[in-house]
Amino acid sequence: MTTNLLDFDLDGLAAFCEQLGEKRFRATQLFRWIHQRGASDFAQMSDLAKSLREKLEGCAHVAALPVISEHVSSDGTIKWLFDVGDGNAVESVFIPEDDRGTLCISSQAGCAVGCRFCSTGHQGFSRNLTSGEIVAQLWFAEHTLRTRLRSQDRVISNVVMMGMGEPLQNYSALVPALRTMLDDHGYGLSRRRVTVSTSGVVPMMDRLSQDCAVALAVSLHAPNDALRDQLVPLNRKYPLSELISACVRYLDHAPRDFITFEYCMLDGVNDQPQHARQLIELVQPRGAAGVRCKFNLIPFNPFPASGLHRSSAQQVAVFAKLLSDAGIVTTVRKTRGDDIDAACGQLAGDVKDRTRAVERMARQRTIVLKPVA
């Protein structure tokens, strides 16, 4: 079996080439061909020595993920479903804006966290993706879109690890993938424009700050432990006090001077004025420095299995004003791609559940969520 070179960051590719008796500059040339030019045929890599190309033909390949389907939203959002084998499929979403192009990437086939409001969690969990499977989503999207636009200019300026899965529970594959995205010989993305979203895996947040500090988004969704335990089960292991402390520590290394808190607005559950006041106290405690942050209020995208409902626009506006009046930067996220189930919390793919999460989530649906003051 040959090696998929998408699995390697530049250091990994240099080590691979060294095993072939080649120097590091050859790895750099190869890395550029793969990621900057989107080449998969070694014969096309004209500035590589013929002897190296012949070696690579026998032991390596560059393989994208097979595309099962593509859907294009009325707002220009594109969703791809990729086959990752053994009955599993993952989704990636491209979101075009006037000033940027954002790709939302998956890190796992399914998700084991099981957040109550997330469609992915209701599908269960199968396995972690490899570094190559993570990078392949960017490789395919970037070079496919360039071809369609007949352009050599970069199309994707921002990457968010907000697709299927909890990225920090797949840490060993995540970091090499991030390094490939950031490398000037690869995609050359800014650390400020690559965001890892986590539900709060505290030890891995600390490791990421040391190994590959990129922008950080935290899926908060509740202002107190009692409610967050119901919405984000990981909170039972890493409660809010530990999570907020980890956010403060991360800021010492982060490329941005704030943490983004994602907050899904659930009607009658976490959207009341007392919840906004609790959030203010959480991030701006009296007599303490608090955590520099901004809030993204996310309209909930309903799906039948959740048993939850979207907060009204009026309720979201009241909630946002309370946070803004307290001096917290607050935005209400626009819903993009909801007509093709590509909006936040809607990515489900097709997962062979190995954790019986579907059964657990079914039991959760019998519990009626009520606000916890």
Side-chain angles (χ1 to χ4, degrees):
M1 180 179 293
T2 60
T3 300
N4 187 0
L5 299 186
L6 293 180
D7 274 314
F8 297 127
D9 60 11
L10 183 53
D11 286 343
L13 189 59
F16 179 80
C17 287
E18 185 179 356
Q19 293 175 353
L20 300 178
E22 301 290 339
K23 294 182 179 181
R24 185 181 179 91
F25 82 92
R26 291 300 189 193
T28 300
Q29 290 176 311
L30 180 56
F31 200 73
R32 288 173 176 167
W33 273 106
I34 294 169
H35 297 291
Q36 292 186 352
R37 303 193 189 186
S40 58
D41 183 353
F42 300 125
Q44 295 177 347
M45 302 179 185
S46 54
D47 61 352
L48 294 184
K50 183 178 180 181
S51 59
L52 174 55
R53 282 181 273 164
E54 290 173 349
K55 291 176 188 176
L56 291 171
E57 290 287 356
C59 67
H61 65 281
V62 179
L65 296 171
V67 178
I68 297 173
S69 64
E70 175 182 309
H71 297 282
V72 181
S73 169
S74 58
D75 62 22
T77 298
I78 305 173
K79 181 177 75 171
W80 292 286
L81 181 67
F82 294 106
D83 185 355
V84 294
D86 197 26
N88 297 303
V90 301
E91 292 178 331
S92 303
V93 177
F94 174 67
I95 306 164
E97 301 277 3
D98 290 340
D99 59 345
R100 65 189 179 275
T102 301
L103 186 68
C104 179
I105 290 178
S106 294
S107 58
Q108 297 177 313
C111 184
V113 175
C115 296
R116 176 72 182 266
F117 49 83
C118 180
S119 181
T120 304
H122 285 254
Q123 295 291 307
F125 174 77
S126 180
R127 68 170 177 86
N128 288 326
L129 299 186
T130 65
S131 295
E133 288 169 333
I134 295 172
V135 171
Q137 297 168 67
L138 174 57
W139 187 80
F140 171 85
E142 175 67 31
H143 297 292
T144 296
L145 292 171
R146 283 190 198 180
T147 298
R148 292 181 184 178
L149 296 172
R150 298 180 181 178
S151 171
Q152 292 302 310
D153 294 335
R154 178 191 294 168
V155 178
I156 295 167
S157 61
N158 296 58
V159 167
V160 292
M161 299 301 305
M162 295 181 182
M164 296 171 62
E166 164 55 67
L168 295 186
Q169 289 184 338
N170 187 16
Y171 191 81
S172 62
L174 172 69
V175 170
L178 292 176
R179 288 174 175 158
T180 296
M181 297 174 196
L182 299 171
D183 199 299
D184 286 341
H185 298 296
Y187 299 91
L189 298 175
S190 163
R191 290 177 183 269
R192 295 170 58 88
R193 292 177 174 266
V194 176
T195 301
V196 169
S197 177
T198 179
S199 53
V201 188
V202 167
M204 296 299 102
M205 291 169 62
D206 287 328
R207 283 189 61 183
L208 187 67
S209 72
Q210 301 299 312
D211 295 339
C212 191
V214 293
L216 188 70
V218 174
S219 296
L220 195 61
H221 309 303
N224 58 66
D225 284 320
L227 181 54
R228 197 165 191 267
D229 284 351
Q230 297 180 61
L231 293 175
V232 185
L234 189 68
N235 194 71
R236 297 165 193 159
K237 187 171 185 179
Y238 305 113
L240 282 171
S241 59
E242 294 184 25
L243 177 57
I244 296 300
S245 294
C247 290
V248 173
R249 293 192 298 272
Y250 195 91
L251 282 170
D252 289 338
H253 308 277
R256 291 181 171 178
D257 60 357
F258 60 87
I259 299 291
T260 300
F261 287 124
E262 308 282 355
Y263 198 92
C264 185
M265 300 294 291
L266 304 171
D267 183 38
V269 175
N270 66 352
D271 64 347
Q272 300 303 299
Q274 69 265 27
H275 296 124
R277 289 189 285 269
Q278 288 175 20
L279 283 177
I280 295 166
E281 177 62 23
L282 180 68
V283 302
Q284 297 179 345
R286 295 182 182 88
V291 56
R292 298 187 303 277
C293 64
K294 64 173 285 190
F295 271 85
N296 273 344
L297 305 183
I298 305 170
F300 173 59
N301 293 297
F303 56 99
S306 71
L308 300 170
H309 303 281
R310 177 182 292 188
S311 301
S312 68
Q314 180 181 7
Q315 190 63 37
V316 174
V318 170
F319 198 94
K321 187 175 188 303
L322 286 169
L323 295 180
S324 296
D325 287 349
I328 300 172
V329 175
T330 304
T331 60
V332 178
R333 181 182 292 177
K334 291 189 298 182
T335 298
R336 296 291 302 271
D338 55 343
D339 58 331
I340 56 170
D341 290 338
C344 185
Q346 289 185 313
L347 300 189
D350 190 5
V351 174
K352 183 182 290 185
D353 181 25
R354 302 184 188 278
T355 61
R356 305 185 73 177
V358 174
E359 295 177 22
R360 295 198 305 274
M361 298 298 282
R363 289 195 295 270
Q364 282 189 25
R365 290 196 294 273
T366 66
I367 301 172
V368 178
L369 284 175
K370 296 181 180 179
V372 180

